[in-house]
Amino acid sequence: MVQDLRGSSTNASFYAGLLVSAYAFGEVLTAVIWGNISDRIGRKPIVLSGLCGVALSCLMFGFAKKYWVALVARLVGGMLNGNVAVMQTMLAEMVKRPEHEPTAYAIHPFVWHAGGILGSAMGGYLAQPAHYYPTVFSPDGLFGRYPYLLPNLVCVVVIVIAVIQGMIFLEETNPMLVAKAKAKEAEMNEQTPLMNGTYNKSGAEQGVVEINSSADFTPAILVEGGLPSTTDPHFDLRRSSFGTIHSIAVQGHQPPPPPTATLDPTQKPNLRTTFNYTVIMLIASLVLCSYHSMGYFNLLPIYLLDKPHHPGPGHIDLIGGLGYDLHAVGTFIAINGVISVFVQGIIFPIFVTKMGVWKSYLLMIILYPLTYPLMPLLTLLPFGPWRSAGIYLAMVIQNHLNIIIPPCALILIKNATPSPLVLGTVNGACMSLLSAARTAAPPIEGIIYSKGGSAAAWFSLAGVTVVAFVQVWWIPRSAATAQMGFENREVEVEFNKGRDDEAVFMEEEEEEDEVR
């Protein structure tokens, strides 16, 4: 497409890389903003509007006749799409039990990789339809004038379906809005049956919502008191009427314990508290990993396609590549996608569940520096099945390490976030920095490859992994056991269930005395 838009194949890979980077750069500019807005108005509106932004970008991209139009379309798509950060936030808010986190965090990348396989195939088969399917699409028709419009239109149709599905089925997860909705449902009036829970109307009007996690109370039973007898303690001659119901007794109802958790927007953590030391260190670690993993995925097809500088087995080629043709490279990339899906959907949840989030993250960071120096050694293998086997083995190792690190880091970042009220902002900032790393990696590593050869590029990535290895030891050990603010509150609510209110009050007083 770049060759057609520019009318030249010169530096086509560089300009194609700019199109990829433009989307990530757009996310850099707006990810924090979208995350902050989602903390205020909710996650669902941002997700749906982000999908609409991607649809607009696809239309602009499909109708582009000039390279700069395609570049603007990609930039606009990245700026309007805040879904990556917001969806990670929604996932964190949906999962309430830590043992469910590995499986839950595997779903998002799993469907992402699966969609990447289907989307890549769809783009390849539907591009230039008038050239490949002239009996169906006229060269003088719409798709003849715009040869890359058809796959983008298919994307728009899929996105419209996703928006409709989201409007109907996607539930809001912003804890403040969810709590307000539950509190509003619990408001009592003369037409509302007695129900469990408490609702502070004056507090709700100020945006302060009390959360009570317990709903397992004995349901209230209404018993009407009719005409009393003279021996009934309710009998009173002063009553003006005995022919009406004079009392309603609520039997079998146990009042809920006082709520222990509140979400008060006026108590929202400030910027310094939000981005505490642990959060900053975890984000920095993930940014380093994002840089070298993006560099790897950018270098891999180039390295596979590049001609060897010293052809023949038995020599380590530090300058050239492996010398495969385009068809073979496409096969390698497709199988790499299948490996990614398998590792993400099958290996990841089992591995992290057995090892634990922190140990899994730490182990992958420690092992990563050993991987990139292996890539130049592939030139020692004879061309044929042995070299192909070596490439697939390298892909398996890379996918295992690269797929386990990001979800584990996001779980740790979620747990280090001081309050659910700022989780969207934290994820937005994280995704913005990750996008910056993904934007910088392709051109920097491309320059290193062109100036110093393939080995220089691989060893530069290895250097970044060494920095990540050193930096991970600066992450506080508390990150391994931290739980985000609202999870601590839920534990407190569960602990206080069934306890005497006075005992809880006295314990809180003792804690305050200790603090003083």
Side-chain angles (χ1 to χ4, degrees), residues 89-236:
T89 304
M90 296 183 74
L91 189 60
E93 292 165 343
M94 290 176 184
V95 181
K96 303 301 182 184
R97 304 183 62 177
E99 60 267 27
H100 294 162
E101 287 179 335
T103 302
Y105 274 81
I107 293 174
H108 183 209
F110 176 83
V111 297
W112 177 269
H113 287 298
I117 295 173
L118 296 175
S120 299
M122 182 272 295
Y125 281 112
L126 298 185
Q128 299 178 333
H131 174 74
Y132 290 103
Y133 316 107
T135 57
V136 180
F137 301 97
S138 171
D140 298 326
L142 179 65
F143 297 110
R145 298 194 303 272
Y146 301 97
Y148 302 97
L149 175 61
L150 183 58
N152 284 280
L153 283 181
V154 174
C155 287
V156 172
V157 172
V158 173
I159 292 172
V160 170
I161 295 174
V163 171
I164 296 174
Q165 172 261 334
M167 294 174 62
I168 298 173
F169 298 109
L170 185 63
E171 296 181 358
E172 180 59 61
T173 63
N174 185 302
M176 174 60 67
L177 299 182
V178 171
K180 284 184 178 181
K182 290 182 177 179
K184 187 174 182 180
E185 292 175 359
E187 183 176 4
M188 294 185 182
N189 55 44
E190 65 277 6
Q191 296 179 343
T192 305
L194 291 179
M195 50 197 307
N196 296 324
T198 58
Y199 176 68
N200 187 334
K201 185 174 182 179
S202 61
E205 290 173 350
Q206 299 172 4
V208 181
V209 182
E210 296 179 343
I211 302 175
N212 193 327
S213 66
S214 177
D216 301 326
F217 300 106
T218 306
I221 302 175
L222 303 184
V223 180
E224 301 174 352
L227 183 65
S229 65
T230 56
T231 60
D232 195 312
H234 289 117
F235 182 80
D236 190 346

Side-chain angles (χ1 to χ4, degrees), residues 251-434:
Q251 298 182 351
H253 178 66
Q254 301 176 3
T260 59
T262 58
L263 287 177
D264 186 353
T266 62
Q267 301 299 321
K268 187 175 181 179
N270 57 34
L271 191 63
R272 183 175 181 180
T273 305
T274 298
F275 293 96
N276 55 59
Y277 180 77
T278 304
V279 170
I280 292 175
M281 288 293 100
L282 286 169
I283 291 178
S285 178
L286 187 55
V287 167
L288 291 172
C289 294
S290 178
Y291 176 90
H292 66 70
S293 62
M294 185 64 182
Y296 165 77
F297 287 115
N298 182 70
L299 288 178
L300 181 61
I302 298 174
Y303 186 58
L304 293 174
L305 277 169
D306 196 14
K307 295 180 179 180
H309 187 72
H310 296 292
H315 299 86
I316 298 179
D317 193 343
L318 302 179
I319 304 299
L322 298 179
Y324 286 95
D325 59 24
L326 192 62
H327 178 77
V329 172
T331 303
F332 281 124
I333 299 302
I335 295 178
N336 184 63
V338 175
I339 295 172
S340 300
V341 171
F342 176 78
V343 173
Q344 187 70 65
I346 306 298
I347 303 299
F348 173 82
I350 298 176
F351 182 87
V352 177
T353 300
K354 296 292 184 182
M355 292 288 296
V357 174
W358 172 250
K359 289 183 178 179
S360 299
Y361 183 74
L362 187 61
L363 181 61
M364 298 302 103
I365 295 292
I366 293 173
L367 293 178
Y368 231 132
L370 304 176
T371 58
Y372 293 120
L374 296 177
M375 297 302 292
L377 299 181
L378 293 174
T379 56
L380 290 174
L381 300 175
F383 199 91
W386 284 104
R387 181 171 292 186
S388 298
I391 294 172
Y392 289 130
L393 178 61
M395 289 179 175
V396 170
I397 296 173
Q398 284 288 340
N399 278 295
H400 186 79
L401 299 175
N402 181 61
I403 285 174
I404 287 179
I405 286 178
C408 289
L410 292 172
I411 293 173
L412 295 172
I413 291 171
K414 181 204 75 171
N415 293 340
T417 302
S419 168
L421 297 176
V422 294
L423 184 57
T425 302
V426 170
N427 278 334
C430 179
M431 293 304 160
S432 178
L433 292 173
L434 295 184

Side-chain angles (χ1 to χ4, degrees), residues 68-81:
W68 69 267
V69 176
L71 190 65
V72 170
R74 293 286 295 171
L75 180 65
V76 169
M79 294 178 64
L80 295 181
N81 180 24

